Amino acid sequence: MRSNQKFRIYIQTFRMDVDFMENRKLTKRDYAVVSSMLFALFFGAGNLIFPLHLGQLAGSNWLPAALGFLVTAVLLPLLSVLAISITRSEGVYDVGLPLGPTFALVFMVLIHGTIGPFFGTPRTATVSYAVGVAPLLPAKFQSLGLLVFSALFFGAAYLLSVKENKIVSNVGRLLNPTFLVLLFLVFVVAFSRPMGNPAHQAVTAAYTSGAAVNGFLQGYNTMDALAGLAFGVTVVTAIKMMGKKDPNEVALVTARAGVFSMGFEALIYFALILVGAMSLGTFKVSADGGVAFDQIVNHYLGVAGQSLLAMLITLTCLTTAIGLVAAFAQDFHKHFPKLSYKTWLGLTSAASFLFANFGLTQILAWSTPFLMFLYPLSMVLILLSVFSPLFQRASVVYKFVVGFTVVPALFDMISSFPPVVSHSAFGTLVTNLRMTYLPFAQYGLDWVVPALVGLVLGLGFYVAQRVRQNNVSNNASEESVNN
């Protein structure tokens, strides 16, 4: 009897603990930690170096360029987080589900492959190495240095994400605050001793009249709209492990954390673009943002600045890598459960290590075409998800919009491949077709008009279906009354 009583007491205590965890209200500290984690997952090396380079390219036109950049680098990622919340989704698969399970699965694999082990995740290691570590090593040790660095980097990413319930604390409480402190020091120095007045700096040719559009397209490079869909599963899992199980409450926490983290990210982007524009008072336009950041930090802090830069870049890249490998493993384990979360985590970490050693130049060259294809599809899916309550997430609307978007997106992908593809006879034919027949093709926005046409047709069919259903329902009601 005594053992049975102990067992009953244990069960009652366990149930009380579970009820407490499920009903417990998240504190402001909890929200801050989730927001910090979400910010850290989004803010990688590209988020640090692309705005700097944009500021240099735009010069005195930095403000319209910044506003365009914020649309694709802040607003779209925020909408992707809201899309997860509004549709009560747990990841990118659920966002694509109105188009059918086959499309949803293929879309999930493409998104995770692009921002994961093939392009996005390897870039976190190659950028941090190229910007922060490579300048400290002799030329003859560059390849070996990348091999060793990427092995240590993805080994750390694996270890810090192998326990799902520790991702919040590892990223939100430890790595991200350290990164923000270091970045704050850079801003204090840069704005207290500006290198030039941004309003008086030269503007490159592409930004004299199309600063906002070019800033918009530069935001593609952050990959954050795609990452927002992929990170959904990581954020939702983390919130559930903090005690929130109800889908409505999980959605509310996700939305609040997204608004806070992306608002903070917008402020940092403005500061980085300004620093880039100010740097033209001392330096010429650099080859890329990594070179620009290296010049700026070394200008102010010398050798110590290079060490600070190495630490800053590595921290921000590592937090993003943790989010990417964890999201990949969580989603793939969910849909291909024969392999465990740890196995998928090991596979994506190993593949990321392998592709990282192809080098940053190759990764950037081959990732751009896939971004040009996936970004339009992701943008329309994000917007459809956000406004889905207006048309009850009807699949007919999704099918028309995505169907009309996919063709110009494919054209953009083919035209963006390296010359071996884009300059071939087929590539040239596709480029001529899109430039001749698709509006806004010269701006890389040739998918916009077809998507709008698809939206009008899709909503038209949706309304027609609703009217037909209402008529059938009314006729049935009248027949039942007459009988």
Side-chain angles (χ1 to χ4, degrees), residues 87-281:
T87 58
R88 308 295 188 266
S89 301
E90 292 192 358
V92 62
Y93 176 87
D94 293 339
V95 171
L97 200 54
L99 289 151
T102 301
F103 175 89
L105 190 63
V106 171
F107 186 63
M108 183 203 80
V109 171
L110 287 174
I111 291 288
H112 275 299
T114 300
I115 67 170
F118 296 123
F119 302 114
T121 312
R123 193 178 75 178
T124 60
T126 54
V127 169
S128 53
Y129 173 77
V131 176
V133 179
L136 302 174
L137 297 177
K140 63 180 180 179
F141 292 125
Q142 291 296 321
S143 297
L144 178 62
L146 177 59
L147 183 71
V148 174
F149 178 85
S150 58
L152 294 173
F153 183 91
F154 287 114
Y158 174 85
L159 292 174
L160 290 170
S161 55
V162 70
K163 292 185 178 179
E164 292 181 82
N165 60 340
K166 294 292 184 182
I167 294 176
V168 173
S169 58
N170 288 337
V171 174
R173 291 191 176 98
L174 176 62
L175 295 178
N176 191 49
T178 305
F179 160 74
L180 289 175
V181 169
L182 294 176
L183 184 61
F184 178 74
L185 292 176
V186 173
F187 285 149
V188 168
V189 174
F191 284 103
S192 61
R193 295 163 51 195
M195 285 184 270
N197 186 337
H200 300 154
Q201 304 308 323
V203 181
T204 57
Y207 288 79
T208 52
S209 59
V213 173
N214 279 289
F216 179 92
L217 295 176
Q218 282 289 324
Y220 279 18
N221 290 319
T222 66
M223 298 190 186
D224 279 354
L226 309 185
L229 296 174
F231 287 152
V233 64
T234 303
V235 176
V236 169
T237 300
I239 294 170
K240 286 181 176 179
M241 288 183 174
M242 297 176 76
K244 291 295 181 184
K245 306 295 184 184
D246 181 77
N248 293 329
E249 292 186 354
V250 171
L252 183 61
V253 174
T254 304
R256 285 178 176 175
V259 169
F260 182 81
S261 61
M262 298 313 297
F264 188 58
E265 191 166 317
L267 293 176
I268 292 179
Y269 282 147
F270 262 113
L272 287 169
I273 292 170
L274 260 176
V275 170
M278 290 190 300
S279 71
L280 293 176

Side-chain angles (χ1 to χ4, degrees), residues 4-21:
N4 289 337
Q5 288 176 342
K6 286 183 178 180
F7 179 74
R8 283 197 296 270
I9 292 172
Y10 171 79
I11 292 297
Q12 290 173 353
T13 304
F14 176 76
R15 286 174 176 170
M16 289 174 63
D17 289 340
V18 171
D19 290 339
F20 171 75
M21 286 299 295

